[in-house]
Amino acid sequence: MEPGRRDSLALLTDLYQFTMAYGYWRAGRQREPAEFELFFRRCPCRGGFALSAGLGECLAFLRAFRLRQPEIEYLQSVLPSTTEKAFFDYLLTVDASEVTVSSAPEGSVVFATVPLLQVKGPLLVVQLLETTLLCLVNYASLVATNAARFRMLAGPDKKLLELGLRRAQGPDGGLSASKYSYIGGELRPGARPVSQHLAAGHSLSPLLLFALRSPHPPAPDLSVPGFDWTSNVLAGKLYGVPVRGTVAHSYVMSFTSLAEVQPRTLKPLDGDEPVDFLPLAESWLRRVCQTLRVPQDRVNPGELAAFVSYAIAFPHHFQGLVDTYCIMGSGIPNFCAVALALNQLGYRAIGIRVDSGDLGKQAREIRQVLRTCSADFQVPWFATIPIAVSNDISERSLEELMQEGNEIDVIGIGTNVVTCPLQPSLGCVYKLVKVNGCPKLKLTEDEEKMTIPGSKMAYRLYDATGLAFMDLLALEEEPPARAGQEVAVCLLGRSEEARRVTPTAVEILHRTYFKDGQQVCQALPSLLEIKSHAQASLSMLGPAHKRLQDPEPYQIAVTEKLHFLLNDLCRSSR
């Protein structure tokens, strides 16, 4: 959701939120202090973790949350006619001025059952926030997690381009996908190391501080999530995500003959006099076809015209889309001819793109041609021209590409990153855990849907190697978990007796980001800083927990005191 539309989100909710609000108001309970938690029940895509995202959007929504007269008039038209007018007058006074929100830093690794958000405030108000907060967190976190999985499959050396706007679930879905697929990516060379942020006085999460100060920090994990670029221009403008793009097949197909090339001249990089570029490219085409043993009469002249025209327009950024016709019989010879002509004038082509067929096989064949031309024409850099591929790439096809080995440098992924086909929703829920000082428990026949009552603290426990081994939930009033101190815990989902663990380090997972209607922190981190945090967070998770198939389940536990409360409420509810 782009900036400027926050003031219209108060009605981006389910009608039953307002019917419940009326019920609270009629009962005189609208100002009772209440607490909700937002969490998911299962890690997405049969994986072992998720990345939290959407916090910045939630805070922007809370800052602007208010019902104005046009919204009130609409509510009067859809709620029953028996709804008292005084209720609508009360809604005009409602805002988030008494709401407090705590959360893990955006980009953190998170797990099932552990809250992503903790929301406290007057019962009526925090009830009204439910659907919008879920909407803002669910898709953002799912896309960030999905992007992390693609990055882990691709490894640290491949560049990833998100190009799913045309396949996205509407404009807002496209913008969100472009923004959140970028979160968590590896830091580019030249990015400021964490130590420089400390020296500059920037606020860092306890996790990053621990990573810096641990005597046995985990080895850097370079297979981190996130994409490098997006094709979405508006996402670049709004969020600062780097944008990339060249041409589509329609551009190549629009040319039929060399007579359509206008203008034809190009200045050499270090010269003043323009050169007629078209005959230069044609002369190189003859040499390339002879070297590659390709009949020149089979090379498509319209494709050559398209390449020449684009190279004249963008001599510093020439990239050829080579599969409009025959890749090896036309696209590659035409590309090499134009790229070598550019080289003669002092320019370098930036890449080749293939959008169909057996991508791994074609990339290997193209690389061999580039090496041949590099050797025969004595142009060393030509052998390393980046090869980009796209073509409905999924987790499965990407995994196959990586297993067989390839010469691919850039991977464009669209549909399968923005639509998240392995799991179309993260399934976050927003559950009441305390009202008017009383812990609340949802108890159903489906044990998975049972909630954990009470105001809680969440801790992440680390072992001596610096890796996280457990998230621990404790009641807010309990003494905090401390490094080096033994604590009794009960693992969720197991009936065994309490066990004792001694963490080497302890991280408090949640920070207060919003209190009394104000954003507590002065400035939220940039997307690049969120990428940095996600990198640190994932690097401190063991490889077995990060496996994309059959990961080792990460341990979630509660303290003995919280476990006793849970059992007491279960017995009394039955």
Side-chain angles (χ1 to χ4, degrees):
M1 184 77 67
E2 65 269 27
R5 295 179 61 178
R6 299 286 173 243
D7 58 350
S8 64
L9 295 191
L11 294 186
L12 185 67
T13 189
D14 298 304
L15 181 62
Y16 79 172
Q17 307 293 1
F18 287 103
T19 60
M20 285 188 287
Y22 183 58
Y24 294 142
W25 180 83
R26 280 295 304 270
R29 303 186 59 208
Q30 67 271 20
R31 293 194 52 77
E32 289 184 4
E35 181 174 348
F36 284 80
E37 291 180 345
L38 189 153
F39 60 94
F40 56 90
R41 294 188 175 109
R42 294 183 186 178
C43 290
C45 308
R46 300 182 297 278
F49 69 91
L51 284 181
S52 66
L55 174 62
E57 303 272 353
C58 292
L59 297 177
F61 160 65
L62 290 169
R63 290 195 302 270
F65 179 74
R66 192 172 186 85
L67 288 156
R68 295 171 176 81
Q69 191 60 43
E71 286 87 9
I72 296 298
E73 290 173 1
Y74 177 74
L75 287 172
Q76 287 175 315
S77 74
V78 296
L79 288 173
S81 59
T82 55
T83 307
E84 297 177 43
K85 181 181 181 302
F87 171 66
F88 297 108
D89 293 337
Y90 180 78
L91 288 182
L92 281 170
T93 69
V94 166
D95 57 23
S97 60
E98 297 178 79
V99 172
T100 297
V101 174
S102 299
S103 171
E106 191 159 10
S108 295
V109 170
V110 287
F111 301 98
T113 309
V114 180
L116 277 71
L117 298 179
Q118 295 172 312
V119 185
K120 300 178 182 180
L123 178 58
L124 182 148
V125 177
V126 291
Q127 182 72 71
L128 287 178
L129 300 177
E130 173 182 2
T131 304
T132 316
L133 292 177
L134 285 169
C135 180
L136 294 173
V137 169
N138 255 313
Y139 183 64
S141 298
L142 182 65
V143 168
T145 305
N146 198 33
R149 294 171 63 87
F150 276 109
R151 168 55 71 191
M152 287 179 170
L153 284 170
D157 298 326
K158 309 294 184 187
K159 303 294 186 187
L160 295 182
L161 168 65
E162 178 273 314
L163 36 75
L165 176 59
R166 64 188 62 193
R167 303 282 191 263
Q169 294 92 335
D172 290 328
L175 284 170
S176 293
S178 298
K179 178 180 182 179
Y180 293 112
S181 64
Y182 181 67
I183 285 179
E186 63 180 317
L187 294 175
R188 300 267 63 83
R192 298 176 72 186
V194 176
S195 56
Q196 288 185 24
H197 286 283
L198 273 178
H202 293 176
S203 175
L204 298 176
S205 73
L207 180 149
L208 283 170
L209 293 174
F210 170 65
L212 281 174
R213 296 166 179 168
S214 172
H216 304 289
D221 181 357
L222 297 180
S223 297
V224 293
F227 280 50
D228 297 277
W229 308 304
T230 180
S231 66
N232 186 339
V233 178
L234 185 55
K237 177 179 181 293
L238 293 177
Y239 309 126
V241 180
V243 293
R244 291 290 187 277
T246 50
V247 301
H249 293 104
S250 56
Y251 181 86
V252 179
M253 294 164 62
S254 72
F255 289 82
T256 304
S257 72
L258 297 175
E260 296 170 304
V261 177
Q262 291 295 334
R264 293 173 38 140
T265 59
L266 177 65
K267 284 185 178 182
L269 186 61
D270 296 323
D272 294 326
E273 290 299 319
V275 173
D276 192 340
F277 189 68
L278 178 55
L280 185 62
E282 289 181 294
S283 69
W284 274 106
L285 180 61
R286 288 190 290 272
R287 297 175 64 183
V288 168
C289 286
Q290 184 176 8
T291 295
L292 302 182
R293 299 182 180 178
V294 173
Q296 188 173 345
D297 59 356
R298 295 186 183 179
V299 174
N300 189 290
E303 183 178 55
L304 178 61
F307 287 0
V308 168
S309 178
Y310 195 80
I312 291 171
F314 296 101
H316 292 282
H317 301 91
F318 173 62
Q319 182 180 33
L321 176 60
V322 297
D323 69 329
T324 305
Y325 304 109
C326 175
I327 294 178
M328 301 308 293
S330 180
I332 289 300
N334 277 330
F335 169 82
C336 290
V338 174
L340 287 164
L342 282 172
N343 176 72
Q344 186 173 331
L345 300 185
Y347 302 99
R348 287 192 180 189
I350 65 168
I352 291 173
R353 182 162 77 92
V354 181
D355 190 47
S356 59
D358 186 335
L359 302 177
K361 178 174 180 290
Q362 287 170 168
R364 288 190 292 273
E365 293 174 350
I366 290 170
R367 182 65 68 202
Q368 186 55 50
V369 168
L370 296 177
R371 288 170 179 152
T372 298
C373 288
S374 173
D376 282 15
F377 302 123
Q378 317 240 314
V379 183
W381 64 266
F382 210 81
T384 60
I385 290 176
I387 299 173
V389 300
S390 54
N391 185 22
D392 201 26
I393 293 173
S394 64
E395 275 196 17
R396 180 174 180 179
S397 61
L398 180 56
E399 183 176 21
E400 291 171 352
L401 272 177
M402 300 310 297
Q403 286 176 346
E404 67 188 20
N406 59 76
E407 293 288 347
I408 296 168
D409 301 287
V410 180
I411 303 167
I413 305 174
T415 304
N416 288 290
V417 70
V418 303
T419 64
C420 304
L422 292 181
Q423 184 171 324
S425 173
L426 182 57
C428 286
V429 294
Y430 183 87
K431 296 301 178 184
L432 181 68
V433 295
K434 191 174 185 179
V435 65
N436 223 11
C438 297
K440 293 296 177 178
L441 168 71
K442 179 182 178 183
L443 184 62
T444 69
E445 293 181 358
D446 187 347
E447 187 174 329
E448 185 184 51
K449 290 193 172 184
M450 204 167 75
T451 59
I452 302 175
S455 299
K456 293 181 284 294
M457 295 290 294
Y459 303 96
R460 183 155 294 166
L461 310 185
Y462 295 89
D463 61 22
T465 68
L467 296 176
F469 69 90
M470 177 183 291
D471 279 10
L472 176 65
L473 298 176
L475 290 170
E476 201 170 53
E477 64 267 21
E478 292 188 73
R482 297 188 184 279
Q485 292 186 4
E486 187 179 72
V487 59
V489 304
C490 300
L491 294 178
L492 289 181
R494 301 188 190 180
S495 57
E496 62 191 41
E497 293 184 359
R499 64 171 66 180
R500 295 187 175 275
V501 297
T502 304
T504 301
V506 175
E507 178 192 5
I508 300 173
L509 283 182
H510 296 126
R511 300 188 203 173
T512 300
Y513 282 90
F514 192 86
K515 188 172 184 179
D516 298 331
Q518 299 293 323
Q519 186 173 297
V520 174
C521 48
Q522 290 186 352
L524 290 173
S526 67
L527 283 184
L528 189 59
E529 289 168 331
I530 295 171
K531 282 171 90 72
S532 172
H533 177 76
Q535 179 179 18
S537 190
L538 271 166
S539 72
M540 301 175 78
L541 189 63
H545 300 308
K546 288 186 288 193
R547 287 197 300 260
L548 300 188
Q549 284 86 36
D550 301 317
E552 181 181 312
Y554 183 80
Q555 296 182 103
I556 309 296
V558 297
T559 59
E560 281 188 305
K561 187 172 182 178
L562 180 51
H563 183 67
F564 292 150
L565 173 63
L566 180 60
N567 286 340
D568 286 344
L569 289 178
C570 285
R571 284 191 292 268
S572 61
S573 299
R574 291 192 175 101

